[in-house]
Amino acid sequence: MSSERLAGLLDEYAELEKRLADPAIHADQGTARRVGRRYAELVPLHKAAAELEQARADLVAARELAAEDPSFAAEAEAIATSLPGLEERLAELLIPRDPHDAKDVIVEIKAGEGGEESALFAGDLLRMYTRYAERRGWLTEVLDAQESDLGGVKDVSLAIKTKGVPEGGNGVWSRLKWEGGVHRVQRVPVTESQGRIHTSAAGVLVLPEAEEVDVTIDPNELRIDVFRSSGPGGQSVNTTDSAVRITHLPTGIVVSCQNEKSQLQNREQAMRILRARLLAAAQEQADAAASDARKAQVRTVDRSERIRTYNFPQNRITDHRIGYTAYNLDLALAGDLDGVLDALGEADRAARLAGDTELARR
């Protein structure tokens, strides 16, 4: 394990502890939250290092005592046996972690192939993530949604965030970052009169929510258009031009929001989504420069590019990236996602230990 890296992180922990103890920092809630998140990330490392240091000191003491009194030999042996586990735990914590793990997220779900059935499935995915968030005690907020005629969603942006500072620096991103990609469903659609099983798909994009300090946006590089909101089937749901479309001219990224009745509120929601997309784009560029082998989340809604299949006749959920299969689809759609997410997390942990930080996300 790198003693220099450990010393540097422990110094950072001590410095952050001092900053949080200073009442002045809480005058700026944004700064306090960022410092608190980073501090929370380092708490497990500090604890593991302290436990290992104490165990090593106890071993020295126990061996000295055992030299005078053989009855202490068993205690010394027990302490020595515990050291490899403590060292392995600390080594794990020293592996560079995903810098976004403590962040909240914006989940975008888009209907793809399959028409109305795809929109209904996108609605199922929205409920699945909302219910999972409720189980975790997270907060959810629909930033924008375009509903379909039968009650599904054509396109929806959902913000999910923790309450306060996430324990151990494990925020929403640390659990949902693998959800980006194409999700495929196999079932008999409500629109199918012959009872035949159809396959359709919906695309999911998970973005770490960016704070203003994460992304610099020049107002002169934005084109902001306003228009009248519309609901399912094209009917107007608002008699004023309150919907907002923001175009980031340098990148061509376009974000539209029409959920709120206020133009100002829609603009604020659109800016949140835009910041998240720009942060993700910057991260992709950095990752691509570091490794040509990195594969980003799938952004096309093509059934052949699936990451997961939801098979209703078999009550089966299969994640194709890690070969995970379980026959509890009904529970998963009700928000019980820990089985597949734990499996993805373990695959990622094994990959990071092996030096491949992207294995579980491909």
Side-chain angles (χ1 to χ4, degrees):
M1 92 185 43
S2 171
S3 57
E4 290 183 4
R5 175 170 168 75
L6 175 59
L9 291 173
L10 292 179
D11 286 345
E12 183 184 358
Y13 172 89
E15 179 61 29
L16 293 172
E17 193 170 42
K18 288 180 183 178
R19 291 186 66 186
L20 289 172
D22 183 354
I25 194 175
H26 300 286
D28 183 343
Q29 288 301 309
T31 299
R33 183 171 171 81
R34 287 192 298 275
V35 172
R37 280 178 169 177
R38 179 56 178 161
Y39 178 78
E41 288 180 8
L42 295 176
V43 165
L45 176 73
H46 177 266
K47 182 179 179 181
E51 287 179 355
L52 179 58
E53 183 179 2
Q54 185 61 55
R56 286 171 172 169
D58 290 344
L59 179 59
V60 172
R63 283 176 172 170
E64 289 177 352
L65 290 171
E68 300 175 3
D69 184 347
S71 64
F72 285 97
E75 181 179 348
E77 181 62 27
I79 296 173
T81 302
S82 71
L83 286 181
L86 294 173
E87 291 170 345
E88 182 179 351
R89 171 63 177 157
L90 184 57
E92 262 185 52
L93 292 169
L94 280 171
I95 297 172
R97 65 184 293 167
D98 188 324
H100 299 312
D101 271 352
K103 286 187 178 294
D104 300 325
V105 305
I106 293 176
V107 178
E108 298 185 2
I109 306 171
K110 300 178 185 293
E113 294 183 5
E116 191 65 46
E117 162 62 6
S118 178
L120 290 171
F121 177 51
D124 291 337
L125 293 177
L126 172 62
R127 284 185 290 275
M128 180 180 76
Y129 291 127
T130 301
R131 289 168 180 169
Y132 181 68
E134 291 171 354
R135 285 170 172 258
R136 303 283 298 195
W138 295 336
L139 303 174
T140 61
E141 177 187 6
V142 175
L143 301 180
D144 192 55
Q146 296 180 36
E147 297 180 354
S148 68
D149 293 328
L150 295 183
V153 290
K154 298 176 182 177
D155 193 343
V156 61
S157 296
L158 176 72
I160 307 178
K161 60 183 179 180
T162 57
K163 296 177 182 178
V165 175
E167 183 178 350
N170 295 313
V172 184
W173 174 260
S174 71
R175 289 297 285 173
L176 296 185
K177 58 186 171 183
W178 298 289
E179 291 302 288
V182 172
H183 297 239
R184 183 178 71 166
V185 63
Q186 296 172 326
R187 65 181 175 189
V188 178
V190 294
T191 55
E192 169 58 54
S193 60
Q194 304 297 320
R196 294 173 297 187
I197 296 174
H198 285 226
T199 297
S200 60
V204 175
L205 182 63
V206 183
L207 305 169
E209 180 153 16
E211 300 177 49
E212 291 190 24
V213 295
D214 296 326
V215 177
T216 300
I217 300 177
D218 184 346
N220 296 320
E221 296 179 341
L222 300 179
R223 185 176 72 238
I224 301 176
D225 303 306
V226 295
F227 56 97
R228 187 162 298 177
S229 303
S230 61
Q235 73 267 29
S236 174
V237 295
N238 200 325
T239 58
T240 62
D241 291 338
S242 62
V244 173
R245 180 186 301 110
I246 299 179
T247 303
H248 185 247
L249 299 175
T251 61
I253 294 175
V254 179
V255 179
S256 299
C257 277
Q258 62 177 10
N259 261 30
E260 305 296 336
K261 294 181 179 180
S262 159
Q263 185 182 124
L264 179 60
Q265 288 176 310
N266 281 323
R267 176 171 175 162
E268 290 175 349
Q269 305 289 50
M271 286 298 293
R272 287 177 66 182
I273 298 172
L274 177 60
R275 279 195 294 269
R277 290 189 185 176
L278 287 173
L279 178 63
Q283 186 66 52
E284 278 188 23
Q285 290 177 357
D287 290 343
S291 172
D292 292 336
R294 183 184 186 276
K295 295 186 178 179
Q297 298 180 68
V298 178
R299 282 166 174 73
T300 58
V301 190
D302 180 337
R303 287 186 306 226
S304 66
E305 299 290 344
R306 69 193 184 280
I307 63 165
R308 189 176 298 156
T309 294
Y310 303 74
N311 184 291
F312 276 69
Q314 298 177 15
N315 197 37
R316 170 174 58 82
I317 180 172
T318 297
D319 194 288
H320 304 285
R321 295 163 294 180
I322 57 172
Y324 173 91
T325 293
Y327 293 87
N328 61 349
L329 175 57
D330 53 339
L331 298 178
L333 290 174
D336 187 0
L337 285 173
D338 281 330
V340 63
L341 295 180
D342 285 346
L344 285 161
E346 182 56 33
D348 177 68
R349 173 182 169 277
R352 286 189 297 113
L353 285 172
D356 181 356
T357 59
E358 293 299 328
L359 181 63
R361 297 176 64 184
R362 289 206 282 266

